[in-house]
Amino acid sequence: MAAGGGEGQAAEPEAAVEPEVAAMEEPRSFKDLGVTDVLCEACDQLGWKMPTKIQIEAIPVALQGRDVIGLAETGSGKTGAFALPILQALLETPQRLFALVLTPTRELAFQISEQFEALGSSIGVHSATPGRLVDHLENTKGFNLRALKFLVMDEADRILNMDFETEVDKILKVIPRDRKTLLFSATMTKKVQKLQRAALKNPVKCAVSSKYQTVEKLQQYYIFIPSKFKDSYLVYILNELAGNSFMIFCSTCNNTQRTALLLRNLGFTAIPLHGQMSQNKRLGSLNKFKAKARSILLATDVASRGLDIPHVDVVINFDIPTHSKDYIHRVGRTARAGRSGKSITFVTQYDVELFQRIEHLIGKKLPAFPMQEEEVMMLTERVAEAQRIARMELREQGEKKRSRNDNDDDTEEAIGVRNKVAGGKKKKRKAF
């Protein structure tokens, strides 16, 4: 697959794909789609009463053994759309390594793994999330993908926007050509089209949404504020909407960590989730928030797509997203499965153009969130003290991390010296 292009670029003419499958007007059961009884029972146990639009379109095609391009937004039921056909094929021809699913983040990989195991619990399915696959292909003795039957690329546009083209190329070169490929993406970018041409054979396109939109039960607001008072406005909103669960999106790992420390110092049950945390800590944060042990999750865009967090009441864009489409994914964390929700986007004097792009993309003008400016200003002194403590804590965390890294380097050097000494001793013993 050749790299090139980006989100904002016009797409090249598509490789030949069959016409889009027409969406069925009436919802149907999974059994009507051709899903076998044992998997229908598993769907029922998971609370999947009726298939979603993308499942209605993609499952019958995949069960026929065709390659699929599925275009659907986050939260549309894509995992079921590829997991059910794979599990059904596995029932028919059992083997050890059957399907590979590529995702842009580890959290999404764990979530997909959980759904595969839940759907396949009665048939003894096991799944694993081995981290960076290319490392295993190159360094794990005896590991190969030569018997693979299915390749799934979920959130393909995001995989490619995160510059994993080289890794995807390497994987495509070592998996069988005689396989089924299911590619799912929120958008058909230029890069996704190139990947489609490189990886899929005569695919059927299943699209359930061609324009960017937010759900009707989502109440969307903005607040226009001076940049230096962002923290005070955030605290005001959290107080005003107390009793709700919040996801707060920040643009950087550092700001996510800083804001989490700030809120903790003010008595809020806040927890961070970002790419510089260890995998165990990231999963721990996610699980605490899911279990409602914490009411505020501060996150970078690592959590904006795919993750199933069912009870988010309010999404706050503390830092406005640089890419307008990320706004759709962020606010899509709330008002899910027919529930209502709120989103509030902070717009500073530096963000006006980005905000106008978002309004243009979603095709509506957002109302201002009602604020009492005087009450916000009354918070500034307490917030300033919490900011000072948070900066100190952030600095201490950085020093501890650097110290651990230095100790790790020293340990590696010491191990190297010991190995050399041990090697020398062994040679002397051999000499005698």
Side-chain angles (χ1 to χ4, degrees):
M1 177 192 66
E7 185 180 309
Q9 290 177 287
E12 293 178 349
E14 291 188 31
V17 293
E18 291 197 2
E20 296 181 15
V21 179
M24 300 173 188
E25 292 183 7
E26 293 295 326
R28 307 204 308 179
S29 68
F30 285 100
K31 187 172 182 63
D32 289 339
L33 299 180
V35 177
T36 192
D37 288 344
V38 65
L39 293 176
C40 287
E41 289 171 15
C43 291
D44 192 56
Q45 288 170 5
L46 287 178
W48 297 6
K49 301 302 180 188
M50 288 188 294
T52 65
K53 289 181 180 179
I54 189 63
Q55 291 166 356
I56 288 170
E57 295 197 13
I59 288 174
V61 176
L63 288 175
Q64 292 169 14
R66 301 293 302 276
D67 284 5
V68 172
I69 298 172
L71 297 180
E73 297 294 340
T74 183
S76 59
K78 288 182 290 182
T79 304
F82 60 74
L84 289 169
I86 288 172
L87 290 171
Q88 189 148 321
L90 181 61
L91 271 171
E92 293 166 2
T93 54
Q95 68 176 60
R96 189 177 173 207
L97 183 57
F98 196 72
L100 167 65
V101 182
L102 301 179
T103 72
T105 67
R106 292 176 181 176
E107 286 76 20
L108 186 52
F110 272 97
Q111 182 175 294
I112 292 171
S113 173
E114 288 172 353
Q115 290 208 355
F116 261 102
E117 293 196 340
L119 286 168
S121 59
S122 62
I123 58 174
V125 167
H126 295 284
S127 60
T129 53
R132 300 224 170 191
L133 187 65
V134 171
D135 288 344
H136 288 277
L137 288 168
E138 294 176 347
N139 302 315
T140 303
K141 189 175 181 182
F143 182 84
N144 67 72
L145 301 171
R146 289 194 287 268
L148 198 74
K149 300 299 182 189
F150 279 86
L151 171 68
V152 178
M153 286 173 276
D154 192 23
E155 304 276 6
D157 52 347
R158 195 165 166 219
I159 290 174
L160 300 177
N161 280 340
M162 292 169 73
D163 296 326
F164 288 133
E165 294 101 326
T166 302
E167 287 84 352
V168 172
D169 264 341
K170 289 180 179 179
I171 292 165
L172 290 175
K173 286 174 182 172
V174 297
I175 61 178
R177 289 180 178 273
D178 183 21
R179 64 170 193 274
K180 307 305 175 198
T181 306
L182 311 175
L183 185 153
F184 288 83
S185 181
T187 57
M188 181 55 88
T189 64
K190 186 176 179 180
K191 288 184 179 182
V192 173
Q193 286 187 0
K194 288 188 175 182
L195 176 58
Q196 168 213 309
R197 289 193 290 270
L200 280 75
K201 295 178 185 174
N202 193 25
V204 177
K205 183 177 176 184
C206 303
V208 298
S209 177
S210 58
K211 67 176 183 178
Y212 293 94
Q213 56 189 13
T214 50
V215 297
E216 290 179 11
K217 290 194 175 183
L218 173 64
Q219 299 172 298
Q220 301 172 78
Y221 301 94
Y222 79 94
I223 55 172
F224 187 65
I225 54 176
S227 180
K228 66 178 180 178
F229 293 125
K230 280 178 81 172
D231 288 344
S232 297
Y233 277 85
L234 177 61
V235 173
Y236 170 84
I237 287 173
L238 294 175
N239 284 331
E240 283 294 295
L241 301 177
N244 289 294
S245 61
F246 297 85
M247 280 191 74
I248 302 172
F249 284 100
C250 301
S251 58
T252 65
C253 298
N254 188 68
N255 202 28
T256 303
Q257 192 73 23
R258 180 201 71 85
T259 310
L261 292 171
L262 167 83
L263 294 178
R264 284 180 190 171
N265 288 324
L266 290 167
F268 295 99
T269 57
I271 195 162
L273 174 66
H274 57 76
Q276 288 182 2
M277 295 165 63
S278 70
Q279 185 58 43
N280 284 341
K281 286 186 176 178
R282 283 161 67 176
L283 287 171
S285 290
L286 198 56
N287 289 334
K288 284 177 184 175
F289 186 67
K290 279 185 173 183
K292 302 187 181 181
R294 299 290 186 276
S295 62
I296 302 170
L297 180 69
L298 292 111
T300 56
D301 280 311
V302 74
S304 68
R305 284 169 69 169
L307 296 184
D308 184 22
I309 306 170
H311 68 280
V312 180
D313 301 312
V314 183
V315 167
I316 298 176
N317 289 305
F318 185 67
D319 294 326
I320 198 166
T322 307
H323 299 294
S324 305
K325 291 169 188 174
D326 287 335
Y327 174 85
I328 304 288
H329 299 302
R330 288 183 180 187
V331 301
R333 299 297 92 211
T334 187
R336 296 168 76 84
R339 290 184 290 269
S340 60
K342 284 187 179 70
S343 70
I344 302 169
T345 299
F346 284 23
V347 184
T348 72
Q349 63 270 38
Y350 309 112
D351 305 323
V352 175
E353 186 179 346
L354 289 173
F355 181 64
Q356 288 173 338
R357 286 184 201 165
I358 289 169
E359 288 189 320
H360 177 73
L361 181 71
I362 63 176
K364 63 175 73 174
K365 291 281 184 183
L366 301 189
F369 186 77
M371 304 282 295
Q372 296 293 330
E373 309 290 340
E374 314 81 47
E375 292 184 23
V376 176
M377 291 302 106
M378 288 170 63
L379 294 167
T380 54
E381 193 172 325
R382 281 182 60 214
V383 170
E385 176 61 13
Q387 287 172 331
R388 185 185 68 80
I389 297 170
R391 282 195 295 270
M392 288 172 52
E393 291 174 337
L394 202 59
R395 194 158 50 242
E396 287 172 6
Q397 287 178 358
E399 288 169 0
K400 283 180 183 176
K401 191 174 181 180
R402 283 193 294 274
S403 176
R404 282 198 301 272
N405 290 340
D406 289 343
N407 288 337
D408 288 345
D409 291 343
D410 292 343
T411 302
E412 285 179 13
E413 188 175 341
I415 290 170
V417 170
R418 283 201 300 272
N419 287 343
K420 285 181 181 177
V421 171
K425 285 180 180 176
K426 284 176 185 175
K427 286 177 182 175
K428 285 179 181 177
R429 281 197 293 271
K430 282 181 180 177
F432 284 102

